[in-house]
Amino acid sequence: MKIDTNSNSYTIIYASVMVIIVAFILAFTSATLKDRQEKNEQLDKMKQILTALNIQAENDEEAGALFHEKVKQDQIMNSTGNVIADEGGFDVDVKKELAKSLEERELPLYVCDIDGQTKYVLPLYGAGLWGALWGYVALDEDKDTVYGVYFSHESETPGLGAEIADPHFQEQFIGKLLMKENEIGLSVVKAGRVSDTTYQVDGITGGTITSNGVDAMLKKCLGQYHDFLTAK
Amino acid sequence: MSQLFSRKNKNILTAPLTLDNPVTVQVLGICSALAVTAKLEPAVVMGLSVTVIVAFANVIISLLRKTIPNRIRIIVQLVVVAALVTIVSEILKAFAYDVSVQLSVYVGLIITNCILMGRLEAFAMANGPWESFLDGVGNGLGYAKILLIVGFFRELLGSGTLFGFRVIPESVYELGYINNGLMVMPPMALILCACIIWYERNKHKELQEED
């Protein structure tokens, strides 16, 4: 029997069967690989936090071990500076929290121990020119001196805005002070226009919108922790 | 076995590497050649991913070619390609997370890579699975070859590194050498591609059109 491959019913049945088979294959792949993918995402986040603490892990196992050694607590606090949970901050989605009103936000705070000294790591999330920016700021025990930073981006222009992920840009932040007259003073200004070296760092030439995005992200995200940062 | 690697089949495999290159002669897949060649590592992964996907998509379509209803054949090809791309992207996320972060949207964009649809429609719909597999591998590698050449020059001149390792010594920078920022911008990939096409057409006179 010769099947007419051009008939309407054959075409419809063919399309339906194909779609069902493909759907099953994709669902199967997704389900089997999900655990590994989530583990990778968590490891990546740990590495980012470690980078903010100026620690470079050689490989994945080391990153996991170092993270658990250095990060003592992943607290959640609210905007008035009260700790509402001692752990669980690692699983908070900063992007989702920013969509809520300030009073309702759960703010993660990583309390770390580097050679006997307490460091605080605060997460950042904002927007650059083409897509999202994110990062972490590590502070000394005085909650004012920057110990280290980490920035990354989704799709900034390579060679221009994407330079925010470069260690040379990030090293500028080390030793700067955060709070100036009860507000976030730490800022990124146009390259060569730095007037106050205590608080300001050079932006990226040709990456003005990304640099401004980093600046706005610092102000917005660190501003949420205002009460915590000013409580001595 | 000798039949599997007959002269005709060898030609199917090697022609896309030289005289029938998908990027420089057929001028397909230019868009992704711009996007992923600023550094060598993503260029290698992109080249391999496209090779794997085009080879398997070619085989699948070739096996199905007698059953595919003519009116929806493009849709069937797209579904096969999209499914394979999704699977490759999921595997990269699970086993090469850093690379998948770097390639980000470009893996998904393999679906729109004209080489895939071009080979499926032009070759796999009319040839057997083994020939189609060779054709896919050949075209994928031909594409990867150009990506590597372009990526090599862009990373070397634009960042002074190869595969992320510094190859231009610090002392050269102290003498006043600076990286060419234009090299990391997408337009430079087009200009480099054009230079390769120029070189190939000069070398192989048969590629030049008569007018």
Side-chain angles (χ1 to χ4, degrees), chain A residues 169 172 187-192 194 201-208 211-212:
Chain A
F169 176 70
Q172 296 186 85
S187 48
V188 182
V189 296
K190 218 177 170 98
V194 172
V201 299
D202 276 326
I204 287 164
T205 312
T208 310
S211 303
N212 290 347

Side-chain angles (χ1 to χ4, degrees), chain A residues 12-86:
Chain A
I12 291 168
I13 293 168
Y14 193 93
S16 320
V17 171
M18 177 183 70
V19 168
I20 291 166
I21 292 174
V22 169
F24 266 106
I25 295 173
L26 291 184
F28 177 76
T29 327
S30 169
T32 39
L33 294 175
K34 203 167 182 205
D35 287 345
R36 261 196 100 93
Q37 291 174 354
E38 279 174 1
K39 221 178 121 202
N40 280 334
E41 276 166 30
Q42 288 181 354
L43 263 174
D44 192 51
K45 193 170 173 182
M46 288 180 185
K47 281 189 197 161
Q48 296 180 9
I49 294 170
L50 287 172
T51 312
L53 290 163
N54 305 321
I55 300 170
Q56 294 298 334
E58 294 284 320
N59 52 46
D60 288 355
E61 289 90 52
E62 201 189 302
L66 273 171
F67 183 82
H68 292 296
E69 184 194 325
K70 304 291 181 191
V71 180
K72 296 296 171 198
Q73 284 182 316
D74 52 334
Q75 297 179 341
I76 300 174
M77 62 170 45
N78 57 23
S79 60
T80 54
N82 294 322
V83 175
I84 47 179
D86 272 342

Side-chain angles (χ1 to χ4, degrees), chain A residues 54-220:
Chain A
N54 305 321
I55 300 170
Q56 294 298 334
E58 294 284 320
N59 52 46
D60 288 355
E61 289 90 52
E62 201 189 302
L66 273 171
F67 183 82
H68 292 296
E69 184 194 325
K70 304 291 181 191
V71 180
K72 296 296 171 198
Q73 284 182 316
D74 52 334
Q75 297 179 341
I76 300 174
M77 62 170 45
N78 57 23
S79 60
T80 54
N82 294 322
V83 175
I84 47 179
D86 272 342
E87 53 186 31
F90 189 78
D91 301 317
V92 171
D93 187 342
V94 179
K95 182 184 174 185
K96 280 192 191 142
E97 295 303 318
L98 278 170
K100 300 179 186 169
S101 70
L102 183 62
E103 292 73 33
E104 288 172 9
R105 284 181 204 162
E106 293 187 337
L107 307 172
L109 174 78
Y110 303 91
V111 183
C112 316
D113 179 17
I114 307 289
D115 302 328
Q117 290 181 310
T118 307
K119 310 283 177 197
Y120 300 102
V121 177
L122 287 67
L124 307 169
Y125 186 88
L129 172 58
W130 305 113
L133 305 176
W134 61 92
Y136 295 90
V137 173
L139 300 173
D140 279 342
E141 203 168 1
D142 63 4
K143 302 176 190 169
D144 200 20
T145 316
V146 177
Y147 179 66
V149 294
Y150 171 85
F151 300 120
S152 191
H153 62 94
E154 198 177 306
S155 47
E156 298 307 299
T157 320
L160 300 174
E163 295 292 302
I164 60 158
D166 193 83
H168 289 296
F169 176 70
Q170 297 172 8
E171 279 161 10
Q172 296 186 85
F173 285 84
I174 298 173
K176 301 280 176 203
L177 296 185
L178 185 61
M179 302 301 283
K180 183 184 186 183
E181 288 157 11
N182 216 9
E183 282 185 13
I184 305 291
L186 186 67
S187 48
V188 182
V189 296
K190 218 177 170 98
R193 299 271 176 83
V194 172
S195 56
D196 187 350
T197 51
T198 324
Y199 302 103
Q200 297 176 334
V201 299
D202 276 326
I204 287 164
T205 312
T208 310
I209 296 178
T210 313
S211 303
N212 290 347
V214 173
D215 188 58
M217 174 168 82
L218 289 168
K219 298 252 169 12
K220 182 179 68 178

Side-chain angles (χ1 to χ4, degrees), chain A residues 1-7 9-11, chain B residues 66-67:
Chain A
M1 187 186 81
K2 181 95 176 76
I3 304 167
D4 176 14
T5 56
N6 283 322
S7 74
S9 50
Y10 179 81
T11 305
Chain B
K66 295 209 172 89
T67 69

